[in-house]
Amino acid sequence: MNTILAQLRFNALDVQNRKMPLFREGQIFHGTVLKLMRDDLAVIEISRSPIVAKLEASLQSGQEYWFVVKKKGDTPTLQVLPSLHAPKGTIQNEKNVQHLLRQLELPSTRTNIALVSHMQKAGIPFTKSFVQTVSSFMQTTTIEHGLEVLNIMLERKFPVNAQIFQAIHRFITADKPMLTQLQQITSAIQTQRGLPIHIKQLNEQLIHIMNKWTSSFRIESEQSGTQRFETVSLPLKEMLSSFGLQHEKAVVKLFKNQLPIQELNQHHQELKPILLALVKEEIPMQTKQLVQDTIQRLTGQQLLMKHDDQILQFLMQFPLPKQIGNDDALIQFQGKSKKGEIDSDFCRILFYLNLRKLRETIVDVHIQNRVIAIHVYNENHISNQTLEPFILMLRHQLERNHYTLSSLKWINETTTKKLKGDVHSISFQPMSRYEGVDIKI
């Protein structure tokens, strides 16, 4: 062990003054015994963080064990679960996980093994009921996607329930553009005969929203020197407001007499309230499932919006005109909150695009005191000479809005792959301190 690292781990490990994580009785976690002390106390490392606990068994320093919390408190009492002691390795770790599952009387399925291994690696305490519950959620998806959703839920400290899991899962695994999905709904309703007039009116409202989106896309030609360019204007603010993501808050305000009924009626003209009304109607099951699927997708967007007095984060999908892109645009934002609004002087924005000509493209925009630095990631190689007219035009457009472009770099496929492996690194920051998971239904 590195001497300096060991010193950093062990200094200030004062039992009386150290603030311990809050454990719950019955929670299980995997840890390494770093140091044995008097009175059955030991320093145990969990997720690279040391804790002091009282043990109900004699252990060896430097060994890894599965622990179960028998008594919570500032200095929790831990019981050691029997484990297989053998050389470390992927295969041996899986055998240890299977051994633990047998002790918990849980089946050694691929999902359970992957889930427990994931919690072990993350250093997050869990319970038997947690494994059973999350494993049941993951039956409808792949293990990879299930663990990705779980990561988001734990990092955002969401209650672990099926509704939240399904909404986030539907959002991150959407396999068709939003406009396409809505067109399927409206077409299915239009082909049904004998539907009540109010269902037809709801369908007309959906069509109106889609027409409003498509008519708001502006594609204009501009001349720069000897070259002609097409510029695309996307009214993101107007589109975002039409999603109806503030519908639930508006209803709560109405019940508190903080919202005029006229304003609530305006919210009823937005996408999510229309879909919520439609899903309650007697429509074919296949169409109803498509409506429910779209509602979950919108709810997933709502859940991934984080807003407080200091910071604002969100991950949003927006339709793109077919002339420009093949899929929805995905926008990831993180910035300071200024009096409840986005601080446009200091923020970072990522655009994930699937363009008709350039294909998969990521645009990373850093804004510091209205000075902008842009990195474009794409598998195509484009020379600086080719980019120069575009950069000049972009600089001019930004200056008209009182921004300064400091740099624009085009980065090829190798770096793109590196970034794609960490697409959630901005919005979903790792937990600096986690106190275990609980089940809330």
Side-chain angles (χ1 to χ4, degrees), residues 6-233:
Q7 183 62 33
L8 289 173
R9 281 178 172 175
F10 286 111
N11 65 1
L13 283 181
D14 182 82
V15 178
Q16 300 300 321
N17 299 325
R18 179 170 172 75
K19 188 176 182 180
M20 298 296 166
L22 297 178
F23 288 103
R24 298 181 181 91
E25 293 175 4
Q27 285 185 324
I28 301 163
F29 68 92
H30 189 267
T32 302
V33 177
L34 297 180
K35 185 178 181 180
L36 298 172
M37 300 186 293
R38 293 180 299 176
D39 302 324
D40 296 326
L41 294 176
V43 179
I44 299 170
E45 182 185 56
I46 171 174
S47 187
R48 300 183 181 178
S49 299
I51 66 166
V52 177
K54 187 176 182 63
L55 302 176
E56 291 187 347
S58 178
L59 304 179
Q60 294 182 3
S61 180
Q63 290 292 323
E64 298 180 0
Y65 300 91
W66 286 103
F67 299 94
V68 59
V69 181
K70 301 300 291 183
K71 185 178 180 181
K72 61 182 182 180
D74 291 338
T75 305
T77 301
L78 306 178
Q79 177 185 340
V80 181
L81 295 173
S83 58
L84 303 175
H85 295 289
K88 296 180 181 179
T90 303
I91 296 177
Q92 183 56 37
N93 180 67
E94 185 171 319
K95 289 182 178 178
N96 261 317
V97 170
Q98 291 175 338
H99 186 67
L100 173 67
L101 289 171
R102 285 194 294 270
Q103 293 180 76
L104 298 177
E105 298 181 343
L106 293 173
S108 294
T109 62
R110 289 180 63 249
T111 300
N112 283 349
I113 293 171
L115 176 57
V116 172
S117 298
H118 181 76
M119 302 300 285
Q120 172 188 353
K121 185 177 180 181
I124 302 175
F126 60 92
T127 62
K128 176 181 177 179
S129 61
F130 173 85
V131 176
Q132 292 172 312
T133 301
V134 176
S135 179
S136 68
F137 299 163
M138 293 172 62
Q139 298 307 307
T140 58
T141 185
T142 64
I143 291 175
E144 180 183 4
H145 285 153
L147 293 179
E148 185 176 2
V149 174
L150 179 63
N151 276 340
I152 295 170
M153 294 176 70
L154 297 181
E155 289 168 4
R156 293 298 182 94
K157 298 185 178 179
F158 290 141
V160 182
N161 63 44
Q163 291 82 2
I164 292 178
F165 184 94
Q166 291 166 1
I168 297 175
H169 175 263
R170 189 65 198 93
F171 174 70
I172 69 173
T173 61
D175 56 357
K176 64 185 71 171
M178 178 68 77
L179 272 174
T180 301
Q181 195 158 327
L182 291 174
Q183 286 167 351
Q184 289 178 344
I185 293 172
T186 56
S187 297
I189 294 176
Q190 285 176 326
T191 57
Q192 292 295 314
R193 296 183 178 180
L195 290 176
I197 186 66
H198 64 277
I199 295 181
K200 294 180 180 180
Q201 289 173 342
L202 290 172
N203 198 46
E204 289 299 320
Q205 288 178 297
L206 286 180
I207 294 173
H208 175 72
I209 288 177
M210 290 190 294
N211 290 338
K212 189 176 179 181
W213 287 350
T214 53
S215 62
S216 64
F217 298 139
R218 295 190 302 276
I219 303 176
E220 301 172 349
S221 295
E222 291 196 15
Q223 189 79 26
S224 178
T226 60
Q227 299 193 47
R228 179 173 292 275
F229 307 98
E230 283 190 341
T231 62
V232 182
S233 299

Side-chain angles (χ1 to χ4, degrees), residues 233-249:
S233 299
L234 301 178
L236 298 183
K237 186 176 180 180
E238 291 79 3
M239 291 176 67
L240 177 59
S241 63
S242 69
F243 284 173
L245 302 184
Q246 301 299 316
H247 172 68
E248 288 84 355
K249 287 185 178 180

Side-chain angles (χ1 to χ4, degrees), residues 389-402:
F390 295 94
I391 294 175
L392 290 174
M393 184 175 63
L394 177 61
R395 179 175 282 114
H396 175 66
Q397 294 285 355
L398 290 172
E399 287 173 352
R400 288 170 57 182
N401 291 279
H402 310 293

